[in-house]
Amino acid sequence: MNRDQALDVIARLRNNVKKVVYGRDELIDIVLTAMFSNGHVLTDDHRGSGVGLIASTLGYSIRDDLLEEGINIKNFARVNCAPELRIEDLIGEVTSTAAEIPGTIFHYILFLDNFSNADQLLKSRVIQAISDNAVFFNGRNCPLGELFLVIASYHQSDGEIKPLRFSEIDHFQFRYQVKWLDAATQREILMDGKGAEKDIVTVREIIDARKYIQGGAIKFGDDLIDGLSLLSQGIAESDKTQTNGGP
């Protein structure tokens, strides 16, 4: 893969998400930056903020062309992290006939809604999965694929939501506070009928572009601006965004 091809992969994903998500360009760029830098995203948001739509549209945009060993990884899953959510729902379970039923964690893009409200043990398993890029299931470590990306929402402004521990927050390389959209943008959303396209980028293209970028051929604050409107200091200095060191 060369520079133009890598930038084209980013541009196709970004433009496809922007067809259905308005007023969230900075957040879209942060999510894409996480995707192409092996990072994960934690958002302090509210209902209807568009975070889940960004995640689902990315999943919709991807065509899986890999033959992963072990459990088949699917494109996208949305999980409502209610206190009653079971570990088995997330990781998977084995039936009485020894058949494996993989959980929702086995997806390339995993959106965890209300992550802070989940059971503490479940949160710990998610953090472990982020650290290891794998989960222990049915007696073995199961890889989660090269493209594994967690986007978790954290409704910090809701007093009923349990706060996250610093050790949990620290595993997310990008943290972003989502503000309410202005009235003009809300009207634009209501009046528009465009939709995103399906399968516009393959998993292999994303992985190859990421390797090219991480090899130093494209820098996130320099040449990458051609494909992603995100200056290196733009993330670090934003009052809405905090970043941690990459993995």
Side-chain angles (χ1 to χ4, degrees):
M1 176 166 287
N2 59 38
R3 176 183 180 279
D4 289 342
Q5 290 171 329
L7 292 174
D8 178 66
V9 171
I10 297 169
R12 275 185 280 157
L13 284 171
R14 186 175 188 271
N15 293 337
N16 207 41
V17 175
K18 287 185 66 177
K19 288 179 180 179
V20 293
V21 181
Y22 293 85
R24 301 297 186 203
D25 289 4
E26 187 176 55
L27 178 56
I28 292 170
D29 288 346
I30 288 167
V31 171
L32 287 174
T33 301
M35 172 180 279
F36 286 94
S37 62
N38 290 33
H40 302 277
V41 182
L42 178 66
T43 64
D44 177 5
D45 57 28
H46 51 269
R47 297 289 183 184
S49 63
V51 179
L53 184 57
I54 290 173
S56 62
T57 305
L58 277 177
Y60 185 76
S61 303
I62 296 170
R63 177 170 63 84
D64 188 1
D65 61 337
L66 295 185
L67 294 175
E68 300 270 2
E69 293 185 6
I71 294 173
N72 182 45
I73 308 294
K74 299 180 181 179
N75 281 18
F76 169 78
R78 178 180 188 137
V79 179
N80 181 16
C81 297
E84 61 269 20
L85 180 69
R86 304 179 306 149
I87 290 289
E88 292 81 4
D89 296 326
L90 183 75
I91 306 300
E93 55 188 324
V94 180
T95 68
S96 58
T97 60
E100 290 185 344
I101 304 176
T104 51
I105 202 167
F106 291 98
H107 287 79
Y108 290 121
I109 298 174
L110 181 66
F111 175 55
L112 301 175
D113 195 15
N114 287 333
F115 178 57
S116 54
N117 212 28
D119 175 81
Q120 189 59 51
L121 179 59
L122 188 142
K123 284 189 283 191
S124 298
R125 294 296 297 273
V126 170
I127 297 303
Q128 192 65 46
I130 288 175
S131 297
D132 299 344
N133 202 45
V135 292
F136 191 76
F137 172 54
N138 196 19
R140 68 190 191 280
N141 271 326
C142 299
L144 293 171
E146 292 186 66
L147 192 59
F148 184 54
L149 168 65
V150 174
I151 303 169
S153 70
Y154 173 32
H155 303 298
Q156 183 172 296
S157 57
D158 189 335
E160 297 181 2
I161 299 298
K162 294 178 288 187
L164 290 174
R165 299 174 179 176
F166 177 78
S167 59
E168 296 163 341
I169 295 174
D170 196 47
H171 281 78
F172 292 87
Q173 288 73 24
F174 298 94
R175 307 197 299 276
Y176 185 86
Q177 185 177 11
V178 183
K179 302 295 186 181
W180 289 96
L181 293 173
D182 58 67
T185 303
Q186 292 183 42
R187 285 195 298 271
E188 186 179 2
I189 294 171
L190 292 173
M191 294 175 62
D192 190 84
K194 292 186 295 185
E197 297 179 53
K198 184 176 175 61
D199 298 342
I200 63 165
V201 172
T202 68
V203 172
R204 174 53 59 192
E205 283 182 303
I206 295 173
I207 292 172
D208 287 348
R210 185 165 64 187
K211 289 178 179 177
Y212 185 82
I213 292 167
Q214 293 177 347
I218 301 177
K219 302 191 185 319
F220 274 98
D222 186 11
D223 293 353
L224 190 56
I225 195 64
D226 293 339
L228 243 168
S229 65
L230 185 59
L231 296 170
S232 57
Q233 67 269 26
I235 284 185
E237 294 177 0
S238 171
D239 61 356
K240 298 191 288 293
T241 310
Q242 295 179 326
T243 60
N244 296 331

